[in-house]
Amino acid sequence: MKHFLVKTIANAAALAVAIWLLKDITLTGENTGRQVLTLILVALIFGLVNFLVKPLVKLLSFPLFILTLGLITLVVNALMLLLTSWLAGKVDLAFHVNGFWTALLGGVIISIVSWAMHVILPDED
């Protein structure tokens, strides 16, 4: 349970940094409390997408991982962020990523911040 909580906090922090740095990734809400709740829910969706969909996409694109020496990971991360944006729209959350290139840069930012958060936050059970 603690591992799940740590991953969700790390995802939320990483998404918050990406939203703060990139004007084409938006999170809106009536007040700060609503924005925080939306951010946590989007972090849960993002974690679910990374847990369920990303391994399948990585498996199916394995030859591209070898061919590009792993650089296709950037594209896969961007696609996972776009899928999260689409799913958030379907469940009426005010989170939107505008375009592939924004998602690519957002994926890089989220990867770096998420890695840093996992280094900082305790993860033992």
Side-chain angles (χ1 to χ4, degrees), residues 43-117:
L44 289 170
I45 292 172
F46 187 65
L48 193 63
V49 165
N50 281 330
F51 180 73
L52 296 175
V53 179
K54 192 173 184 178
L56 180 63
V57 171
K58 279 183 156 182
L59 180 66
L60 294 175
S61 62
F62 184 70
L64 290 174
F65 276 92
I66 294 170
L67 187 64
T68 64
L69 301 175
L71 287 176
I72 194 72
T73 303
L74 298 173
V75 174
V76 170
N77 288 342
L79 294 174
M80 296 304 109
L81 189 56
L82 285 171
L83 179 59
T84 300
S85 174
W86 181 76
L87 288 171
K90 290 296 180 187
V91 295
D92 248 359
L93 293 174
F95 174 77
H96 183 69
V97 178
N98 189 19
F100 175 77
W101 295 109
T102 302
L104 187 71
L105 188 54
V108 170
I109 292 168
I110 289 169
S111 295
I112 292 168
V113 174
S114 184
W115 169 80
M117 291 299 293

Side-chain angles (χ1 to χ4, degrees), residues 19 27-42 94:
I19 291 164
L27 178 98
T28 55
E30 301 91 40
N31 54 37
T32 305
R34 178 70 179 169
Q35 288 178 344
V36 169
L37 179 62
T38 301
L39 183 63
I40 291 170
L41 292 173
V42 169

